[in-house]
Amino acid sequence: MEHVPALDEDLKKTLGPATAKVLAEQLGLHTALDLLHHYPRKYAERGELTALTELADQLDEHVTVVAQVADARILTFNGGRGKRLEVTITDGNGRLQLVFFGAGVHKPHKELLPGTRAMFAGKVGMFNRKLQLSHPAYEPLGADASDQDAATAFAGRLIPIYPACAKMESWKIAKCVDAVLPSARETVDPLPPALREGRGLVPLTEALLKIHRPATKADVEDARQRLKWDEAFVLQVALARRRRADSQLPAVPRRPAPGGLLDAFDAKLPFTLTEGQQTVSKEIFDDLATEHPMHRLLQGEVGSGKTMVALRAMLAVVDCGGQAAMLAPTEVLAQQHHRSITEMMGELAEGGMLGGSDQGTKVVLLTGSMGMPARRKALLDLVTGEAGIVIGTHALIEDKVQFHDLGLVVVDEQHRFGVEQRDALRSKGKQPPHLLVMTATPIPRTVAMTVFGDLETSVLDQLPAGRSPIATHVVPAKDKPHFLARAWERVREEVGKGHQAYVVCPRIGDEEAADPKKKSAEADGDKRPPLAVLEIADELRGGALAGLSVEVLHGRMDPADKDDVMRRFAAGEVKVLVATTVIEVGVNVPNSTVMVIMDADRFGVSQLHQLRGRVGRGSAPGLCLLVSEMHEASPARARLAAVAATLDGFELSRIDLEQRREGDVLGQAQSGVRSSLRMLAVIDDEEVIAQAREEATRVVADDPGLERLPGLKLALDALLDTEREQYLEKG
């Protein structure tokens, strides 16, 4: 079925090239259909009709008045170069001045002649101690019109306020919408009629007319409900079709061999798995045993033991002759995973090596900064199958990396990888490998249903036995400097007890070497530059923490130096590590008990939660201190208070999401393209999303090709342009 031509036409034809260019470049609107889906963000009300004598109580409010023009005169200023039109109006009881400036004086000068009766709407302002309306909207009242009826209709009209830009004000966008609104009658409705009628939703054409030009607030509500359903349903149909296509792919079933590597590993564990770990492992093993690729999202609180669950899945695959690859977002994290996995496995990680176990396999590391001999050896171990497990960064994706039999891909911290990177790794299997995606960022159920709607979800919400609670406090450095001094004392006390500490800063501090303009620009602004690792480390060495071994860690260090610092910190030689967020995920040093986060207001809620998960990983209680110079009443301090108040990552991710635009969740952050969600709010509309998912699954099961639903197929094609399709193809 072809696209409706009028809706698909370039806006140049309707609005002219200049306007169309601004809409395309500034707002990403190219066609009439794009413009119809550019919804008002709110509606202004002209307000009830107001008597002029009551305006003093309405300063800064939008008002509508009915009055007669008493006089109008043009004044000049700036030596005659500037023009101002002053109009005085009266309603018989009071008087009010209206002002118009510049080129905007000509039309009202012609129309607002003395004696003219009209309605005026605008915001009440004050100038020279006199009330006035500046550039008000007005509508002359004809002699034969019923003044009161026309005035009431004018005052009650809702004025749409559109998301706008400097070159295109909201009222200009409203005029553009007026030009394309008639074509709304040609839209093809994507919702199946039975679904629409069953849920009492208005037709799409009616929804578009009501959202742009509502007569009442009820019109807006009707339209919103309908348009939310469109967004939720079309997206869920795309995901349901994706899940269905995945379920048709072939995969090699991977069942662990009795008495093999997995059993040998379990037998040497010094602790029992939590109930949650056992449940999630069973879900994963059930998936691995099927003839279709597993597509599972494993989300777990910081420190809930996700790596253990992933490692057991990898061992199960190695047990039956396959290989497993773990993809980590940074070299620090890849090295950390490699170190902790080889330690957990012991001699089982030394298969084929002297002193290694007969049941063991080889665990290799592959990163971009490895020396050529080590790299060549790792590549050979992979292609021959000698290495059952490989842990690496994006270096795993390069063309020269070949596997003997790739059976499982584990992606850690999924949100840090592009779709192409994951697909490139998965394409290295002879048949599609099983996929396990891990994240320590707790995801509210609705986001999991939208962003990760093509994956089955497992949640680990139990902390392993022996994990200690973390106390979190806000340190108001500006209001109470002695609190910061006390924070450094606490670090000394913890080190005195034999523990270690992290100090986290938002910036490295060597940027001026790379870009001297950048730092001076920041310093010239209202805000000082964020605190930097190199500067804070020097201050601490010479001041509050003098005498302690203080080292730095950041992303621009040489990889060998990074690894050396991490090794010495893990061994307890380094007492205080001053770092950027490179330590945010996966770094596991159980002896670290305290973390001080400088300029904590510069980090997101979920990021702060991730960071503090680096302490309290042993038997001693953890302490996290959030240092901020922000004012107590600021939103930034409210965010920090929320982090300090709860250790529940799901609750915090909800707060985080409420404070960010939805587009950050589903738009650029996920796919690099504009978010398709304009009306749906993934937190508030949980019920709509859940219901849409059920309906979509039913529709796709009944009609996979959507042959009987051409409108839906059309909407899906519009959603799944090339980039969106890549974004949805996580699986």
Side-chain angles (χ1 to χ4, degrees):
M1 180 171 177
E2 284 187 12
H3 220 355
V4 180
L7 291 171
D8 217 20
E9 234 173 35
D10 195 300
L11 287 171
K12 281 183 202 152
K13 290 192 177 174
T14 325
L15 306 174
T19 303
K21 187 173 186 234
V22 176
L23 289 172
E25 288 177 2
Q26 302 290 318
L27 298 168
L29 307 174
H30 303 275
T31 65
L33 194 62
D34 291 344
L35 191 49
L36 287 175
H37 287 303
H38 187 71
Y39 307 132
R41 58 186 171 82
K42 62 176 184 177
Y43 300 86
E45 293 179 73
R46 289 199 163 104
E48 294 301 306
L49 295 178
T50 310
L52 297 188
T53 49
E54 295 167 14
L55 291 182
D57 302 330
Q58 311 269 342
L59 201 60
D60 284 334
E61 301 268 325
H62 277 278
V63 298
T64 299
V65 296
V66 172
Q68 194 164 337
V69 177
D71 70 73
R73 57 207 173 111
I74 285 189
L75 305 173
T76 58
F77 54 93
N78 270 358
R81 288 195 300 277
K83 284 186 180 175
R84 180 169 83 243
L85 171 65
E86 290 185 357
V87 178
T88 305
I89 57 172
T90 176
D91 62 359
N93 294 314
R95 292 167 84 81
L96 177 69
Q97 192 172 62
L98 318 176
V99 288
F100 300 85
F101 292 100
V105 304
H106 303 300
K107 187 169 182 278
H109 191 223
K110 279 186 203 157
E111 294 178 346
L112 298 179
L113 302 170
T116 305
R117 191 164 167 72
M119 290 175 285
F120 304 91
K123 194 172 172 184
V124 182
M126 179 81 82
F127 182 70
N128 277 346
R129 299 194 194 172
K130 278 189 179 173
L131 293 173
Q132 67 171 28
L133 298 184
S134 181
H135 279 280
Y138 62 89
E139 196 156 294
L141 292 169
D144 56 346
S146 156
D147 280 5
Q148 198 53 43
D149 291 353
T152 306
F154 179 79
R157 199 178 302 153
L158 294 170
I159 305 165
I161 307 293
Y162 288 92
C165 61
K167 292 184 178 177
M168 184 68 68
E169 299 93 334
S170 171
W171 64 269
K172 284 186 184 168
I173 294 172
K175 285 192 165 179
C176 295
V177 170
D178 282 338
V180 300
L181 209 48
S183 63
R185 302 188 185 284
E186 297 175 32
T187 53
V188 182
D189 203 320
L191 293 190
L195 188 160
R196 183 169 61 72
E197 286 154 22
R199 297 200 173 267
L201 300 168
V202 300
L204 179 57
T205 295
E206 189 181 325
L208 289 170
L209 295 172
K210 281 182 169 178
I211 201 75
H212 289 292
R213 298 296 173 261
T216 62
K217 288 180 181 174
D219 282 355
V220 176
E221 196 43 46
D222 283 352
R224 281 197 165 136
Q225 279 308 108
R226 164 60 213 248
L227 295 167
K228 278 178 184 181
W229 254 93
D230 276 21
E231 287 177 7
F233 182 68
V234 173
L235 183 59
Q236 290 301 338
V237 167
L239 293 165
R241 292 182 81 195
R242 183 83 227 133
R243 287 195 299 275
R244 191 176 187 283
D246 285 338
S247 72
Q248 314 288 311
L249 289 172
V252 179
R254 310 279 179 175
R255 297 181 185 87
L261 180 56
L262 178 62
D263 285 352
F265 175 76
D266 284 348
K268 68 193 284 297
L269 278 180
F271 52 81
T272 51
L273 298 174
T274 65
E275 196 182 320
Q277 284 175 315
Q278 289 172 12
T279 306
V280 170
S281 288
K282 184 182 182 307
E283 289 171 350
I284 291 171
F285 290 151
D286 288 350
D287 283 357
L288 289 174
T290 64
E291 294 183 352
H292 304 293
M294 165 172 79
H295 290 86
R296 191 165 284 280
L297 169 69
L298 170 57
Q299 50 171 325
E301 274 290 11
V302 177
S304 58
K306 291 181 300 299
T307 310
M308 173 59 70
V309 170
L311 175 56
R312 293 183 73 244
M314 293 196 285
L315 296 176
V317 169
V318 175
D319 249 355
C320 49
Q323 291 169 294
M326 180 184 259
L327 186 60
T330 64
E331 291 209 350
V332 168
L333 188 52
Q335 288 162 344
Q336 172 79 30
H337 277 319
H338 182 253
R339 194 157 45 240
S340 62
I341 282 173
T342 49
E343 280 167 13
M344 280 194 275
M345 288 176 65
E347 73 279 2
L348 294 173
E350 297 166 355
M353 295 155 78
L354 202 60
S357 161
D358 292 344
Q359 290 168 307
T361 187
K362 213 182 237 188
V363 180
V364 299
L365 176 69
L366 189 65
T367 64
S369 65
M370 281 169 70
M372 196 43 85
R375 190 181 175 78
R376 211 174 275 130
K377 179 79 182 81
L379 291 171
L380 188 65
D381 287 342
L382 286 180
V383 77
T384 59
E386 197 158 313
I389 294 175
V390 59
I391 295 149
T393 54
H394 49 81
L396 283 174
I397 293 160
E398 292 169 10
D399 289 345
K400 60 181 76 137
V401 179
Q402 301 295 324
F403 289 85
H404 177 66
D405 178 14
L406 181 60
L408 171 66
V409 172
V410 178
V411 180
D412 195 17
E413 289 308 317
Q414 185 277 339
H415 61 281
R416 298 184 173 213
F417 287 100
V419 179
E420 301 79 8
Q421 292 169 308
R422 293 195 302 276
D423 285 352
L425 183 54
R426 290 186 64 216
S427 68
K428 292 180 181 292
K430 294 184 175 75
Q431 279 197 318
H434 298 280
L435 175 72
L436 180 64
V437 167
M438 298 200 299
T439 179
T441 306
I443 301 162
R445 174 171 166 259
T446 43
V447 184
M449 282 193 292
T450 43
V451 184
F452 301 103
D454 53 341
L455 302 173
E456 298 300 325
T457 304
S458 296
V459 178
L460 272 179
D461 48 14
Q462 257 179 309
L463 290 185
R467 275 293 161 83
S468 303
I470 306 166
T472 308
H473 302 285
V474 178
V475 178
K478 206 168 191 172
D479 310 343
K480 300 176 180 170
H482 58 287
F483 275 38
L484 183 56
R486 176 70 189 121
W488 300 126
E489 281 172 26
R490 284 292 289 116
V491 171
R492 275 193 174 279
E493 287 165 16
E494 288 299 310
V495 172
K497 292 179 196 167
H499 298 307
Q500 291 159 275
Y502 295 102
V503 178
V504 181
C505 302
R507 197 166 61 97
I508 295 172
D510 61 357
E511 294 87 347
E512 55 271 28
D515 186 359
K517 287 182 198 161
K518 190 174 174 187
K519 193 182 180 201
S520 60
E522 275 182 320
D524 291 344
D526 295 339
K527 276 177 111 175
R528 62 160 171 75
L531 293 173
V533 166
L534 302 178
E535 291 157 17
I536 292 292
D538 285 344
E539 277 177 35
L540 293 175
R541 286 187 192 112
L545 302 182
L548 302 183
S549 57
V550 177
E551 293 277 359
V552 301
L553 182 72
H554 59 76
R556 279 209 282 270
M557 285 166 65
D558 181 85
D561 294 342
K562 275 194 280 199
D563 201 33
D564 176 55
V565 170
M566 270 318 296
R567 272 181 198 287
R568 288 190 293 117
F569 187 63
E573 295 165 32
V574 174
K575 298 301 177 190
V576 180
L577 189 63
V578 184
T580 56
T581 53
V582 292
I583 59 147
E584 181 185 345
V585 285
V587 173
N588 184 23
V589 180
N591 193 43
S592 304
T593 55
V594 59
M595 175 178 284
V596 182
I597 303 179
M598 308 302 291
D599 279 349
D601 47 89
R602 308 251 184 176
F603 299 97
V605 170
S606 293
Q607 199 172 26
L608 290 170
H609 181 60
Q610 287 284 327
L611 284 165
R612 79 168 154 198
R614 301 304 110 210
V615 296
R617 299 175 80 86
S619 53
L623 173 66
C624 179
L625 301 172
L626 307 173
V627 180
S628 172
E629 291 187 359
M630 297 303 279
H631 189 273
E632 192 172 1
S634 64
R637 278 284 292 277
R639 274 205 327 267
L640 298 184
V643 175
T646 180
L647 288 171
D648 181 342
F650 286 92
E651 175 57 29
L652 288 173
S653 69
R654 206 178 173 94
I655 292 167
D656 198 18
L657 199 56
E658 281 164 0
Q659 292 176 342
R660 290 189 284 136
R661 283 177 22 257
E662 301 297 336
D664 292 341
V665 180
L666 282 161
Q668 282 95 349
Q670 285 298 333
S671 63
V673 297
R674 206 157 163 269
S675 164
S676 70
L677 297 195
R678 294 174 176 81
M679 192 58 77
L680 195 70
V682 287
I683 282 289
D684 302 336
D685 299 319
E686 183 164 344
E687 211 175 300
V688 173
I689 292 168
Q691 290 170 358
R693 185 179 167 99
E694 278 175 32
E695 294 275 13
T697 307
R698 198 164 30 245
V699 163
V700 170
D702 181 48
D703 182 8
L706 307 180
E707 306 303 330
R708 300 193 294 279
L709 297 167
L712 178 56
K713 201 165 191 297
L714 200 64
L716 204 59
D717 292 342
L719 174 76
L720 296 184
D721 55 38
T722 322
E723 288 177 294
R724 293 289 301 173
E725 185 135 42
Q726 283 182 340
Y727 144 58
L728 287 169
E729 279 184 358
K730 281 188 226 54

